[in-house]
Amino acid sequence: MSQKVLLNSKEVNIILHRLACQLIEKHLDFSNTILIGIQPRGTFLAERLKILLEQEYKIEKIALGYLDITFFRDDFRRTDKPLEANKTLINFLVEGKKVIFIDDVLYTGRSIRAALTAIQSFGRPSAIELLVLIDRRFSRDLPIQPDYRGRQVDAINNEKVKVSWVENDGEDAVFLVTTT
């Protein structure tokens, strides 16, 4: 197994600022927009963006929620290992709002499809957008594309993209891991 650094801490920080600016361009004061981090790994990116938007760009009262998609996935019964669900935390109305799904890596598109189904339990958003740190553009199973992407990565099937967050893994970095 080999590991190559795709993004270091400084590059991740630059991308986060760029993504925050792109969100501001489209959503201005976020009065009708909510951020939804897709559990488990999208929550780190969503929290980081919320902090940036509030502290660096002085946008107040950004609604942030977390969505667990475990039992909405189309492959959740295809594994022998027990599933560990995460918590969904959405304590505001979704009805009529613009929702931005946030996840660390877009690969097959199945997680996003599950999120589209899961969010319906909380109302009908007026629009849904997708923000990802890494867009693995090959191996997509569903016609899902991000509205905002940090970096596009061309990885083949025996390669995995691993995102590390300082809050969880001790560093901000993105790695391309090759398994043989």
Side-chain angles (χ1 to χ4, degrees):
M1 181 167 81
S2 66
Q3 183 169 283
K4 174 185 171 188
V5 177
L6 294 177
L7 297 172
N8 62 32
S9 178
K10 183 178 180 181
E11 293 167 322
V12 169
N13 189 46
I14 290 168
I15 287 172
L16 291 177
H17 279 273
R18 179 173 48 81
L19 289 170
C21 288
Q22 289 175 346
L23 289 174
I24 292 168
E25 283 179 22
K26 185 144 186 202
H27 297 278
L28 300 175
D29 64 357
F30 289 78
S31 59
N32 197 38
T33 301
I34 56 177
L35 306 179
I36 301 287
I38 297 177
Q39 289 278 22
R41 307 283 304 174
T43 59
F44 299 112
L45 177 55
E47 288 171 6
R48 195 70 79 75
L49 284 169
K50 181 181 192 291
I51 290 168
L52 260 180
L53 290 166
E54 290 178 342
Q55 293 179 1
E56 300 282 328
Y57 299 101
K58 308 301 181 206
I59 297 178
E60 298 177 7
K61 298 178 184 172
I62 295 175
L64 171 62
Y66 308 120
L67 183 63
D68 179 46
I69 59 167
T70 303
F71 298 108
F72 293 92
R73 292 186 58 92
D74 60 2
D75 60 355
F76 87 93
R77 290 193 174 138
R78 295 177 182 227
T79 181
D80 292 332
K81 66 179 184 176
L83 293 175
E84 291 184 36
N86 295 286
K87 289 187 178 179
T88 290
L89 176 63
I90 299 177
N91 56 4
F92 43 78
L93 293 176
V94 171
E95 188 74 30
K97 299 286 187 182
K98 294 176 184 170
V99 171
I100 302 171
F101 284 147
I102 299 175
D103 207 358
D104 60 347
V105 178
L106 174 59
Y107 182 29
T108 63
R110 293 185 181 281
S111 294
I112 304 308
R113 192 220 43 88
L116 289 166
T117 303
I119 199 68
Q120 293 174 13
S121 302
F122 298 92
R124 183 177 181 211
S126 65
I128 297 176
E129 296 177 342
L130 175 60
L131 181 148
V132 297
L133 182 64
I134 302 295
D135 176 12
R136 284 188 64 165
R137 66 181 179 161
F138 295 137
S139 303
R140 194 89 79 237
D141 292 341
L142 301 169
I144 293 174
Q145 301 299 321
D147 298 284
Y148 313 93
R149 76 172 52 90
R151 175 73 53 91
Q152 198 168 49
V153 174
D154 297 336
I156 55 177
N157 290 334
N158 68 335
E159 296 174 324
K160 180 179 179 184
V161 175
K162 179 181 175 246
V163 178
S164 296
W165 295 106
V166 71
E167 299 88 344
N168 191 57
D169 307 302
E171 69 174 329
D172 287 337
V174 178
F175 302 98
L176 184 64
V177 179
T178 304
T179 57
T180 54

